[in-house]
Amino acid sequence: MKKRQGGHMKIFNAGDAIQFAIKIEENGRMFYLRAADQSQAAETRDLFKSLADEETSHKAVFQEMLTRIENISPAEQYDGEYDLYLKNYVDGVEVFSEAAQSGVEDASKDALSAITFAMRMELDSILYYHEIDQLMGEKYHPIIKKIISEERKHFSKLSNQRKDYM
């Protein structure tokens, strides 16, 4: 977020939203690698490793977007409205955040808990990407929609794997 010239008001910077997305993907990768290390079943371990690799690919896509992104000032009812919304949204969701993962050590030891946690985080990621899709210029919509589609696939893979433990 940047300060406006001559004032204290912050303006939304689309790059900030992409930085959050990069952090989501980094944290997701770390979680999946940790869960893979804890997994006893080869199929579950392979799934987590595969998802970690895909999170790395998503991070690269967002990093590329970051090099080409322009600042966007969305329509606001009052100055700073969107800045406040985005901050509160990100603070409230904590997708794959370190805080959310603090209790995951135990979940990682239990495959069903790890899968359930990962499914919840994938859904939170999808919601966040829908939010930033609304902010980006039209040229970025296909890229973000593709990542949303891939996150949905992650959710489906996890859901299918979860059935094996139910």
Side-chain angles (χ1 to χ4, degrees):
M1 316 289 167
K2 296 187 177 187
K3 286 189 178 181
R4 241 183 226 173
Q5 294 279 19
H8 301 288
M9 189 64 57
K10 292 183 178 181
I11 320 173
F12 172 74
N13 177 333
D16 293 334
I18 298 301
Q19 289 284 8
F20 290 131
I22 289 168
K23 186 68 175 164
I24 288 169
E25 299 302 328
E26 288 171 349
N27 289 343
R29 180 178 182 276
M30 289 186 322
F31 168 76
Y32 285 129
L33 290 175
R34 189 177 331 158
D37 286 344
Q38 299 288 333
S39 295
Q40 301 298 317
E43 187 177 349
T44 303
R45 185 173 42 254
D46 291 345
L47 172 61
F48 285 142
K49 286 180 181 178
S50 172
L51 293 173
D53 290 343
E54 290 178 23
E55 301 293 356
T56 300
S57 297
H58 296 167
K59 177 184 171 185
V61 169
F62 284 127
Q63 286 175 320
E64 172 59 25
M65 282 178 68
L66 192 58
T67 66
R68 297 178 287 138
I69 205 88
E70 310 104 29
N71 287 343
I72 298 172
S73 295
E76 297 181 322
Q77 302 258 341
Y78 56 88
D79 285 339
E81 173 188 25
Y82 202 84
D83 178 47
L84 181 62
Y85 167 74
L86 185 64
K87 181 189 180 317
N88 288 332
Y89 182 85
V90 170
D91 287 348
V93 175
E94 296 190 51
V95 181
F96 282 119
S97 71
E98 291 176 27
Q101 291 188 48
S102 64
V104 170
E105 287 301 320
D106 292 332
S108 295
K109 294 175 185 170
D110 169 24
L112 180 58
S113 296
I115 291 167
T116 302
F117 175 82
M119 289 172 64
R120 189 173 60 248
M121 294 302 104
E122 291 294 346
L123 288 175
D124 285 345
S125 297
I126 291 166
L127 289 174
Y128 179 72
Y129 296 146
H130 275 293
E131 289 295 320
I132 65 171
D133 186 48
Q134 301 302 311
L135 306 174
M136 301 298 154
E138 286 187 29
K139 69 182 177 181
Y140 299 109
H141 290 319
I143 297 167
I144 295 171
K145 297 271 189 229
K146 181 176 188 273
I147 290 177
I148 290 170
S149 175
E150 290 178 15
E151 298 293 349
R152 284 182 178 142
K153 288 177 189 171
H154 291 184
F155 180 84
S156 293
K157 289 176 184 178
L158 289 160
S159 181
N160 287 334
Q161 187 68 30
R162 185 173 178 233
K163 290 175 186 172
D164 292 345
Y165 291 93
M166 305 281 293

